[in-house]
Amino acid sequence: MTEANHSLQDYAVQLLDKARAKGADAVDVVAARGTSVDIEVRHGTLEQAERAEGIDLGLRVFIGKRSAIVSGSDISDATLDLMAERAVAMAKLAPEDPYCGLADPEQLAHDTSTEHLELWDPSPEPDAKMLEQRAFEAEAAALAVEGVTQSQSAGASYGANEICVVATNGLEAHYRRTSSSISCVAIAGSGLGMERDYDGDQRIFASDLRDAASIGTRAGERAVRRLEPKRPNTGTYPILFDERISSTLLGHFLSAINGSSIARGSSWLLDALGTQVFPSTMTITEDPHRPRVSGSRVFDGEGLATTQRDLIRDGILQGWTLDLSTGRKLGMGSTANAGRGVSSPPSPMAWNVEMTQGDASFDDLVADMGTGLIVTSLIGSTINPNTGDYSRGASGLWVQNGEITHAVSEV
């Protein structure tokens, strides 16, 4: 490990030892060091520039089957003493939870190295001027699109984070992760006829980012194509969801198989395990080991080794998304899907999710629709997690005889 790693781990171990000395039966600590730079421009001038650096510590202690969490960003010895003292005092007063607790030592991942996942961009940190230039390029490209009247904003950012986790069950792991992004929001039209849309990209490696000009151009083109929308006639039509929207629909499915919802009995898929919930041609796979992808990791927030698994196989629901606590509540093992922050306990969350790929291109799908709707935006959140009832407003593009003809709204 680098000297920086040693320093961050030292804080975590120091806090763990203090909590044990205060009477905690078991302890885990998350230490995070982060740097972020955010630049936003508008109308060719710098609108906002922010830089943040800091260290955050999260302490979770257990007294029998009672637990508590405290967090802080002051790494002084006096503050670490106070954090340990308060966490133990809070845990003594907390209600008992028969399902809480750390992983058994034999459950922990044996190899926590993340080098093969390429989560850290070794390139020098971009300075503010470089990020500003990326934002300016995106905005200029958007304004160059015919029909775009102004930009709402364009931005570029960089972030670097280092995470260290230690626990009394023997867990000792760390990783580093970088992030670079470019975004642009364009406005087309004027007066009451104005429409806006956006585009953006975020990657671990800055070299993998799409060109800033192409992001701005696409944001502008998306805004222009929304102009002069019409309200379609009521009817039953084929629907094609834009890729930005389709991923949110899949998110509702992931929420429904989340162990927290299942354990509470509040999911519309509660009784669907082992049944067909998608077409038989559909398989949905979770792969936490994809290189250069933000959702990748070799161990979860509780130190368990992550693995690739099918959530849906040939349309059939294969299992839930579980951490240790929800797995214990359901009489199942964890699926190594515990995510956690510095100030929050572990909870189940999905990693990288992939759907079965089709053979047809977007243009092919549009041509095959005949007459129908391409949904590019959804409005509202009328989604009942208990029943699956779903009702939302939508806007998008109308397809007539296999060709996009105009924008639509108020659907």
Side-chain angles (χ1 to χ4, degrees), residues 92-122:
K92 290 178 179 179
L93 298 175
E96 286 197 356
D97 179 359
Y99 306 108
C100 75
L102 301 178
D104 294 331
E106 59 269 19
Q107 292 180 286
L108 298 176
H110 298 295
D111 183 5
T112 59
S113 172
T114 61
E115 291 184 6
H116 62 291
L117 294 183
E118 298 182 81
L119 302 179
W120 181 266
D121 185 351

Side-chain angles (χ1 to χ4, degrees), residues 44-333:
T45 60
L46 179 63
E47 183 86 354
Q48 181 174 301
E50 291 185 358
R51 179 182 178 88
E53 297 182 16
I55 293 178
D56 293 303
L57 296 170
L59 168 66
R60 182 170 60 144
V61 304
F62 297 87
I63 305 292
K65 287 299 182 179
R66 307 173 190 269
S67 67
I69 292 180
V70 298
S71 63
S73 55
D74 183 350
I75 54 177
S76 67
D77 191 64
T79 298
L80 299 186
D81 270 329
L82 185 60
M83 288 177 63
E85 182 177 339
R86 287 185 175 177
V88 171
M90 290 167 59
K92 290 178 179 179
L93 298 175
E96 286 197 356
D97 179 359
Y99 306 108
C100 75
L102 301 178
D104 294 331
E106 59 269 19
Q107 292 180 286
L108 298 176
H110 298 295
D111 183 5
T112 59
S113 172
T114 61
E115 291 184 6
H116 62 291
L117 294 183
E118 298 182 81
L119 302 179
W120 181 266
D121 185 351
S123 303
E125 176 185 325
D127 59 26
K129 281 295 182 184
M130 183 181 296
L131 295 176
E132 187 177 11
Q133 183 60 36
R134 292 174 186 172
F136 279 139
E137 289 178 10
E139 183 183 51
L143 293 172
V145 175
E146 184 177 357
V148 172
T149 52
Q150 58 180 301
S151 74
Q152 178 174 309
S153 65
S157 69
Y158 170 82
N161 293 282
E162 178 188 354
I163 308 295
C164 177
V165 186
V166 298
T168 50
N169 59 0
L171 173 61
E172 183 179 310
H174 79 278
Y175 66 91
R176 299 186 300 167
R177 189 186 301 271
T178 53
S179 173
S180 293
S181 70
I182 303 173
S183 62
C184 183
V185 181
I187 299 175
S190 60
L192 297 178
M194 287 194 298
E195 297 285 347
R196 68 178 179 179
D197 212 320
Y198 70 94
D199 192 27
D201 195 18
Q202 181 173 347
R203 304 287 176 175
I204 289 176
F205 280 65
S207 59
D208 293 341
L209 279 170
R210 288 166 43 216
D211 180 74
S214 69
I215 290 173
T217 298
R218 192 172 184 186
E221 291 173 345
R222 282 175 166 171
V224 170
R225 74 180 185 180
R226 294 173 65 114
L227 290 172
E228 300 180 3
K230 302 176 183 178
R231 184 174 183 177
N233 294 327
T234 299
T236 302
Y237 304 99
I239 301 288
L240 178 59
F241 290 97
D242 179 85
E243 59 184 6
R244 296 182 296 177
I245 302 303
S246 60
S247 61
T248 67
L249 298 179
L250 186 58
H252 300 312
F253 160 71
L254 296 177
S255 296
I257 66 169
N258 186 285
S260 295
S261 298
I262 301 301
R264 290 195 305 267
S266 60
S267 168
W268 52 277
L269 287 177
L270 183 62
D271 300 317
L273 190 62
T275 67
Q276 185 166 343
V277 297
F278 276 86
S280 60
T281 54
M282 181 69 72
T283 292
I284 300 177
T285 300
E286 181 181 65
D287 184 3
H289 298 160
R290 293 174 57 193
R292 297 197 181 198
V293 177
S294 60
S296 294
R297 62 208 65 217
V298 296
F299 59 92
D300 74 348
E302 295 175 307
L304 278 64
T306 58
T307 59
Q308 181 177 337
R309 66 189 184 107
D310 287 341
L311 306 178
I312 296 290
R313 186 184 304 131
D314 300 328
I316 297 175
L317 179 58
Q318 300 296 308
W320 312 124
T321 298
L322 304 172
D323 62 357
L324 285 172
S325 177
T326 55
R328 291 164 182 158
K329 290 177 183 177
L330 297 170
M332 299 177 174

